[in-house]
Amino acid sequence: MTTNTSNEIIIFDTTLRDGEQSPGASMNLSEKIRIAEVLEDMDVDVIEAGFPIASNGDFEAVHEIAKLVKGSIICGLARSSKGDIDRCAEAIKPAERGRIHTFISTSPLHMKFKLQMEPEEVHQAVIDSVTHARNFTDDVEWSCEDGSRTEHDFMCQTIESAIDAGATTINIPDTVGYAMPMEYAAMIEMVMNRVPNIDKAIISVHCHNDLGMAVANSLAAVQVGARQVECTINGLGERAGNAAMEEIIMGLRTRPDHLPFTTRVKSELITKASRLVSTVTGFTVQPNKAIVGANAFAHESGIHQDGMLKNAQTYEIMTPESVGLTESKLVMGKHSGRHAFREKLIELGYDLGDNAVQDAFKRFKDLADVKKDVYDEDIVAIVDDAFVRTNDRINLEKLEVLCGTEHQPPKATMTLDVDGESKSAEMTGDGPVDAIFKGIKELTGIEPHLQLYQVHAVTQGTDAQAEVTVRLEEDGKTVNGQGADTDTMVASAKAYINALNKLLVKREKTAPSALSA
């Protein structure tokens, strides 16, 4: 029975799978679990938790999320091989509601050059893979990879066969971000009109943003009958990314006159989810990003400001509160107690255990001793900075830096904990940051290429915490790291070490071929 005539849109989040494929966006187990818990709190319908065959770490993440998350369907990705599907089935086994998402390329280009298979072989692989997946769960999704460049006759044949074999969701992805909205909508309509058993499945769309059309294509498809949208927080994903969940949700919520559809997702948690994903991945959200960018609700033009003062609706089509953005207020100080701090954490959306609260409170007190004004953003940075260091193999113990006109060349003296062993070094460099990074390389024996070093202030003022982002590359694998501190040098060391810890995780991961879907 189909829900294609329903007005409710199923939100399928793939931040933990496709989002993590974005260069640099490696996540460890605890980070993935935390994001999954926030997605569950948002009432996201389906969480694609990973690609179990890709690595033991991916398998473990899907398996643990399947154990912990009860409110969302937990999905794993698998190629069309039995080995992939078996591994995926084992990973989602603990889930109250589990889904296997299997795929194979169907475009002439992919079949010839990537798969090196004839169309007849691909067609049979579709039938075999879906049939095998149905041995483990009634909830099977099938994707025709590179759907927007697939010949229509072949697409219809494979979709019909996939549904006959037991697929309950059919995903038609714009894998390379090639489609235009009217063209993509016409393709969805074509499938609905030509596939005789399409009423037995839900049509899903998965759009990439190479031409900046991912959200537009997704919403155009919804208008003509698609009832599942695959998306990611902050539009994270390979190359130019995926359709951004926050833009899909607020597009539906803001324009019901053109998009008379609903979702279960709690939009008030969008900002929290966006900040968490940004912190975990090290991908800073651009200021002018729709919905979640720092400037999304900021007005500097005199004409705009005048209109806003008279009536906010003159230049705001949605309220900041609708996406969970509240005005930053000075709420805490050096004399604030533990109870008040715990209440503030709850207000900011954090549900921490006693030990984590105690650790965060100590960090808050340390910050309040050196920073006059403590804002909500500061507390968020404290908690997130502590969180990204959970289970790290490398940790900063001590750092001292000498620099300036009287100290040339700059010198950094540091002590690191590396796999439980305390190690110290003293290094000089072209600048203080260079000296710090050289010291870390010396102590860890890891010498990746530095692709990015970026600093921005968490709040206003000269005493603001610095948030540093570092991107490292090793053998074609990239990772981002973040660190926050009122001392920019300490924040820099934390960010570099955070990136190294992620690199150690990523070294264990070998992406299978035909990863995209």
Side-chain angles (χ1 to χ4, degrees), residues 268-280:
E268 294 78 12
L269 294 178
I270 281 175
T271 295
K272 177 183 177 182
S274 171
R275 287 173 174 170
L276 174 61
V277 170
S278 177
T279 297
V280 165

Side-chain angles (χ1 to χ4, degrees), residues 25 85 87 92-93 105 200 230 239 251 287 324 370 385 388 472:
I85 293 168
R87 187 70 166 159
I92 66 166
K93 193 173 183 179
S105 295
K200 296 178 181 177
E230 307 192 2
R239 304 181 314 277
V370 297
D385 185 62
V388 297
L472 303 179

Side-chain angles (χ1 to χ4, degrees), residues 26 30 79 81 97 128 162 180 214 223 269-270 323 339 412 416 517:
S26 184
S30 60
R79 292 169 299 180
S81 71
R97 294 182 296 161
D128 293 344
M180 292 286 121
Q223 286 182 306
L269 294 178
I270 281 175
V323 297
H339 178 74
L416 303 183

Side-chain angles (χ1 to χ4, degrees), residues 336-343 345 350-367 379 382-383 386-387:
S336 298
R338 187 177 288 102
H339 178 74
F341 181 73
R342 184 187 287 271
E343 289 301 311
L345 289 176
Y350 291 101
D351 182 16
L352 305 180
D354 290 340
N355 290 339
V357 170
Q358 180 61 31
D359 181 62
F361 183 67
K362 181 182 182 301
R363 290 168 179 265
F364 159 70
K365 282 292 191 179
D366 291 342
L367 178 64
I379 296 173
I382 289 170
V383 177
F387 175 78

